[in-house]
Amino acid sequence: MTENKLAEREEALSFEVRALRAEVERMNNHRFIRLHDSLWKLGLFQLYRGLAFGLGSVLGASLLVSILAFMLASIDFIPVLGDWAQQIIDEMQLQ
């Protein structure tokens, strides 16, 4: 291998190492990494995440049940489905 090709490879390798160092530094300064560097920060983050998931699940289920009840109440004019829907509505109102 000639001296020129060896120097080009070393220069390319040096450039790649500098780029890799810059990316690692950028990643270490990222908010996600800084958030998870402490057990307390991680615990609080997971607590907030769980609270948001629970609240979203409850609100979503409430909305879905109310839409379903509204739809069931509006199909009472269909003979077979109307009786079945009325039974479901009566059961939901008992609880």
Side-chain angles (χ1 to χ4, degrees):
M1 196 176 279
T2 65
E3 295 273 333
N4 193 18
K5 286 185 179 181
L6 186 61
E8 287 177 9
R9 282 190 173 178
E10 286 180 2
E11 185 178 326
L13 182 62
S14 174
F15 175 75
E16 291 296 323
V17 168
R18 282 194 305 270
L20 183 61
R21 281 184 180 174
E23 285 297 318
V24 168
E25 182 179 350
R26 184 173 156 244
M27 188 174 68
N28 282 337
N29 290 330
H30 196 272
R31 189 175 71 89
F32 181 79
I33 299 297
R34 284 184 287 144
L35 182 68
H36 291 85
D37 68 347
S38 166
L39 188 59
W40 291 105
K41 288 180 186 177
L42 178 63
L44 280 174
F45 175 75
Q46 293 296 334
L47 175 69
Y48 294 149
R49 184 175 155 222
L51 288 172
F53 179 77
L55 180 63
S57 298
V58 168
L59 291 177
S62 300
L63 183 65
L64 186 65
V65 167
S66 66
I67 290 172
L68 183 65
F70 177 74
M71 290 175 68
L72 286 174
S74 67
I75 62 169
D76 60 348
F77 61 89
I78 301 173
V80 175
L81 291 178
D83 296 335
W84 178 69
Q86 189 60 43
Q87 288 176 353
I88 292 176
I89 290 172
D90 291 341
E91 285 295 323
M92 289 174 62
Q93 288 177 350
L94 289 177
Q95 298 176 2

